[in-house]
C-alpha cells in the first residue's frame, strides 16, 4: 500500500476572472496593506497601460515600482528591487509579469525580511547540494508577503521555491521555504494578451511537460493524478484556441 504526505504551502487563495487592478486592491484591503510596491517587467510597464491601471487603482497606497528583472532572476536584480522596496517602506509586494518576475519577487521577500542589501547577503539562504545530499537552510518566513499576477503559464507562482541566478558563476540556484510562496495569485487573462505569442505558447507547452512529469512520477498518487490530468485537459483545450484567436480570454483563463 502506498504511503506519503501532501504538504501544502502558505498560499492563501487564488483569484481568477477579475481585472488585475481590482483584485490587487481587494487583496491590499484584505491584508491591511498601506504601502504597496510593484515588481514588473520593463515592457509591461513602459509599453502597455496595465501597470498604470494598478497604480491608479491603488492610489496613495502605491509607493513605487521596479521594472528591471532580467531572465532567470539574477541576484543583483532582486537585491536592487529589495533595496528600493525597503526604502519605500513596502508592506506588500505585488509581482506582475512572467516567471522571472515571480521568482525574483520571492527573493525580494527574503531580502526584506533578513536585511540583505547585496548579492553576497543571499548566500546563507540558498539550497546546497554536496556529495549527493541537498541541504535546505531554515530561516524566518518573510513578513512582507507577495501577491503574484502571472502573465505566462510557467506556474512558478504556485511553488514555494525560487530559482535565482548568481551571475558571477552563471549558476541558477534554489531558494526554498514554505513562506516564500505568494500569499495569493491573481489570474487575469486580459493582462496576458501583451505576452508575445511564442512566450505564451511555449510556457504552455512547458506546463504540459510539468503535468506529464507529475503524472508519470514514481511518487504519483490519486491526488496528483487528478490535478495533472485536469491540467492536461485544460491546456489541451485552451492552447489551440489561443493560437487560433489571441483575444479569446476564456481560453486564456482555461490555460491559466
Amino acid at each position: 500500500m502506498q504511503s506519503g504526505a501532501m504538504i501544502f504551502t502558505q498560499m492563501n487563495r487564488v483569484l481568477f476572472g477579475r481585472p488585475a487592478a481590482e483584485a490587487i486592491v481587494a487583496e491590499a484591503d484584505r491584508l491591511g496593506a498601506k504601502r504597496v510596491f510593484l515588481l514588473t517587467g520593463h515592457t509591461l510597464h513602459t509599453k502597455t497601460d496595465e501597470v498604470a491601471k494598478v497604480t491608479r487603482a491603488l492610489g496613495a497606497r502605491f509607493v513605487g515600482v521596479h521594472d528591471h528583472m532580467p531572465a532567470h532572476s539574477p541576484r543583483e536584480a532582486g537585491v536592487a528591487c529589495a533595496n528600493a522596496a525597503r526604502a519605500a517602506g513596502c508592506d506588500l509586494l505585488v509581482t506582475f509579469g512572467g516567471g522571472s518576475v515571480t521568482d525574483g519577487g520571492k527573493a525580494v521577500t527574503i531580502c526584506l525580511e533578513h536585511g540583505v542589501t547585496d548579492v553576497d547577503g543571499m548566500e546563507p539562504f540558498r539550497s546546497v547540494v554536496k556529495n549527493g545530499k541537498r541541504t535546505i537552510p531554515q530561516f524566518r518566513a518573510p513578513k512582507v508577503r507577495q501577491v503574484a499576477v502571472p502573465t505566462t503559464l510557467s506556474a512558478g507562482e504556485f511553488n514555494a521555491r525560487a530559482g535565482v541566478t548568481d551571475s558571477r558563476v552563471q549558476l541558477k540556484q534554489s531558494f526554498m521555504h514554505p513562506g516564500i510562496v505568494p500569499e495569493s495569485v491573481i489570474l487575469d487573462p486580459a493582462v496576458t494578451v501583451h505576452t508575445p505569442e511564442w512566450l505564451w505558447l511555449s510556457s504552455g507547452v512547458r506546463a504540459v511537460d510539468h503535468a506529464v512529469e507529475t503524472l508519470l512520477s514514481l511518487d504519483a498518487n490519486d491526488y496528483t493524478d487528478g490535478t495533472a490530468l485536469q491540467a492536461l485537459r485544460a491546456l489541451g483545450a485552451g492552447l489551440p484556441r489561443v493560437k487560433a484567436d489571441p483575444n479569446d480570454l476564456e481560453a486564456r483563463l482555461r490555460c491559466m
Side-chain angles (χ1 to χ4, degrees):
M1 181 175 63
Q2 188 179 27
S3 64
M6 300 301 300
I7 301 173
F8 296 96
T9 66
Q10 295 179 20
M11 179 175 289
N12 186 283
R13 61 189 61 194
V14 178
L15 308 177
F16 58 93
R18 297 171 60 184
E22 173 189 311
I24 289 168
V25 170
E27 284 300 274
D29 288 341
R30 180 178 69 85
L31 298 168
K34 303 297 184 184
R35 302 185 67 81
V36 182
F37 192 91
L38 270 62
L39 170 60
T40 186
H42 182 72
T43 300
L44 192 66
H45 183 204
T46 60
K47 303 297 184 182
T48 80
D49 64 348
E50 299 298 345
V51 175
K53 291 177 184 177
V54 174
T55 62
R56 287 195 298 268
L58 285 169
R61 283 183 288 190
F62 168 70
V63 295
V65 60
H66 186 88
D67 68 0
H68 181 67
M69 182 56 65
H72 307 297
S73 313
R75 280 194 194 191
E76 58 269 23
V79 170
C81 178
N83 290 341
R86 186 184 297 111
C90 164
D91 63 4
L92 179 65
L93 178 70
V94 173
T95 56
F96 194 174
S100 295
V101 168
T102 301
D103 274 15
K106 296 173 193 175
V108 169
T109 64
I110 295 174
C111 293
L112 290 175
E113 179 64 28
H114 296 277
V116 175
T117 58
D118 57 40
V119 293
D120 290 327
M122 294 190 67
E123 190 66 16
F125 304 99
R126 72 179 180 93
S127 302
V128 177
V129 177
K130 188 174 182 179
N131 298 324
K133 182 179 180 181
R134 183 170 65 179
T135 301
I136 302 174
Q138 301 299 304
F139 52 87
R140 286 192 317 276
K143 290 186 286 293
V144 175
R145 296 297 301 276
Q146 173 182 356
V147 171
V149 185
T151 58
T152 65
L153 298 171
S154 58
E157 60 272 10
F158 294 103
N159 292 329
R161 176 175 61 193
V164 178
T165 300
D166 187 337
S167 303
R168 299 168 298 183
V169 292
Q170 292 296 299
L171 181 65
K172 197 166 191 178
Q173 299 162 332
S174 182
F175 293 75
M176 301 176 65
H177 192 286
I180 68 170
V181 73
E183 160 73 18
S184 53
V185 174
I186 295 169
L187 304 178
D188 176 6
V191 302
T192 72
V193 298
H194 308 290
T195 303
E197 181 186 67
W198 69 266
L199 179 57
W200 173 264
L201 295 176
S202 65
S203 66
V205 172
R206 183 71 174 120
V208 170
D209 171 50
H210 286 319
V212 171
E213 285 180 332
T214 299
L215 186 64
L216 299 182
S217 168
L218 294 176
D219 297 321
N221 55 61
D222 287 341
Y223 181 93
T224 59
D225 284 355
T227 57
L229 286 169
Q230 181 56 28
L232 290 171
R233 292 186 188 100
L235 290 162
L239 286 171
R241 284 176 54 186
V242 176
K243 174 63 176 175
D245 179 7
N247 294 311
D248 187 339
L249 298 186
E250 183 181 1
R252 285 179 176 272
L253 183 58
R254 185 83 189 273
C255 293
M256 298 177 85

